[in-house]
Amino acid sequence: SQQGEEDPQALSIQEGENATMNCSYKTSINNLQWYRQNSGRGLVHLILIRSNEREKHSGRLRVTLDTSKKSSSLLITASRAADTASYFCATGRGAQKLVFGQGTRLTINP
Amino acid sequence: SQTIHQWPATLVQPVGSPLSLECTVEGTSNPNLYWYRQAAGRGLQLLFYSVGIGQISSEVPQNLSASRPQDRQFILSSKKLLLSDSGFYLCAWTSSGSTDEQFFGPGTRLTVL
């Protein structure tokens, strides 16, 4: 069964604006991760937040985690054309495997 | 540093033909290895994972099988391909016992005609 569900499925914004993507999940987790995928390529890990953390930053990325609502958000600030990609959340539950969501397709318009 | 290789990059196969996709990892020992399939515009579906040589866990019963003949080699196979086997196949690894960051290969685009 699908654990993570991203919202929205697609997002189109102007360069320089902030992009926010959300992820919801169904069961308890050890950690939640965000990955990026450029078209036709493999996934690249962006950031990991553990279940006992509420917020984490990495460069222009900010991730929040609300375990009571079983949800996470990824904020990309000051977007650039190069940020155009699909973004996936993935949840780790301690069974040495991750469950990925369906992804958000982000388009940054110049 | 660690690297992960997949080949071939693209493959076009007729229905009913066999399949063998290979994934190898360098620079690490005893990794967990994973095979995913991604349909166009969709998320990743975990197909198989392995925590050691000869140890394979199947997530979704289907027309595919996996093998791990060596510590850093993971092979995805099929005896007879179906149209529904078309997709983008990704191999990934992570450190043994971890659910932290997974490192992905470049993927194989399989088209079954």
Side-chain angles (χ1 to χ4, degrees):
Chain A
S1 63
Q2 202 64 44
Q3 172 77 312
E5 294 293 339
E6 286 92 340
D7 169 58
Q9 292 186 357
L11 178 62
S12 181
I13 61 174
Q14 295 300 119
E15 193 168 16
E17 294 179 340
N18 296 341
T20 300
M21 290 159 271
N22 303 296
C23 171
S24 61
Y25 57 93
K26 298 176 182 176
T27 61
S28 62
I29 60 172
N30 290 343
N31 65 64
L32 188 144
Q33 304 175 35
W34 286 90
Y35 289 78
R36 165 196 169 122
Q37 183 182 34
N38 288 84
S39 180
R41 308 291 293 273
L43 276 70
V44 175
H45 183 265
L46 295 176
I47 195 166
L48 179 152
I49 187 165
R50 301 197 184 279
S51 59
N52 61 352
E53 298 176 308
R54 291 298 168 258
E55 186 171 316
K56 204 162 184 179
H57 296 256
S58 177
R60 293 184 296 113
L61 305 180
R62 172 178 171 256
V63 170
T64 62
L65 179 64
D66 187 334
T67 53
S68 66
K69 295 181 179 179
K70 293 186 169 58
S71 67
S72 172
S73 67
L74 171 67
L75 169 67
I76 303 174
T77 60
S79 63
R80 305 167 182 169
D83 294 328
T84 294
S86 291
Y87 292 82
F88 296 89
C89 69
T91 50
R93 296 177 57 197
Q96 303 190 57
K97 57 184 181 180
L98 300 177
V99 179
F100 285 81
Q102 295 299 304
T104 293
R105 294 187 307 278
L106 176 64
T107 302
I108 309 298
N109 302 304
Chain B
S1 62
Q2 302 90 357
T3 56
I4 178 169
H5 304 278
Q6 281 187 250
W7 65 89
T10 59
L11 191 60
V12 180
Q13 292 284 97
V15 170
S17 64
L19 173 73
S20 181
L21 303 181
E22 188 163 344
C23 171
T24 58
V25 181
E26 298 177 355
T28 188
S29 296
N30 194 32
N32 292 347
L33 296 171
Y34 305 84
W35 277 113
Y36 293 91
R37 178 168 62 199
Q38 184 179 32
R42 304 282 291 175
L44 277 66
Q45 178 187 37
L46 179 62
L47 301 175
F48 301 94
Y49 72 99
S50 171
V51 299
I53 295 174
Q55 302 179 59
I56 308 295
S57 296
S58 175
E59 290 294 300
V60 182
Q62 55 198 322
N63 187 41
L64 302 169
S65 62
S67 62
R68 185 170 176 174
Q70 300 180 45
D71 181 45
R72 291 167 288 179
Q73 183 185 30
F74 206 21
I75 297 172
L76 183 68
S77 303
S78 174
K79 292 182 179 178
K80 289 185 177 182
L81 284 169
L82 306 172
L83 286 173
S84 58
D85 292 324
S86 294
F88 192 49
Y89 288 83
L90 290 158
C91 181
W93 74 272
T94 190
S95 299
S96 176
S98 170
T99 55
D100 286 358
E101 176 181 0
Q102 290 190 4
F103 301 90
F104 283 80
T108 294
R109 175 77 58 192
L110 172 66
T111 303
V112 182
L113 301 175

